[in-house]
Amino acid sequence: MGDLIKRIELYKLVWSKPITKIAKDYRVSDSAIIKICKKMEIPRPGLGYWTRVECGKQVKIAPLPKLSKKGVDHHYFWR
């Protein structure tokens, strides 16, 4: 069976560690995680975000917007 991930969980993951590491945890490509974020309407960190975090600089986290009618609330990762 697959792993279920809810929108809020993926949002927290995306802002807590790089997408490449999330992809490795779920055994998918980083582009797959990006596509899922787009379907779930989850904002992602911009370029240089993780570098600023590593340097100890203050960073802004984009709030999770309300889900539109086209958006998806959960996703299954099938193995």
Side-chain angles (χ1 to χ4, degrees):
M1 190 132 180
D3 294 329
L4 172 69
I5 189 161
K6 294 190 177 189
R7 184 173 184 247
I8 189 73
E9 294 170 10
L10 185 57
Y11 169 76
K12 289 177 182 177
L13 277 175
V14 164
W15 289 94
S16 66
K17 60 183 174 179
I19 288 178
T20 53
K21 292 184 181 180
I22 298 168
K24 196 177 277 188
D25 291 345
Y26 284 95
R27 297 181 187 157
V28 295
S29 67
D30 54 343
S31 61
I33 297 294
I34 291 169
K35 287 178 184 180
I36 293 166
C37 284
K38 286 180 182 177
K39 286 181 184 178
M40 292 183 160
E41 300 172 358
I42 296 173
R44 294 174 285 128
L47 293 174
Y49 176 85
W50 295 109
T51 304
R52 289 190 296 273
V53 169
E54 286 177 8
C55 292
K57 295 190 177 184
Q58 198 170 17
V59 292
K60 272 190 171 180
I61 297 175
L64 183 63
K66 286 188 175 184
L67 192 61
S68 71
K69 292 183 180 182
K70 293 181 181 179
V72 178
D73 189 47
H74 61 278
H75 182 80
Y76 283 101
F77 291 101
W78 297 101
R79 302 213 176 173

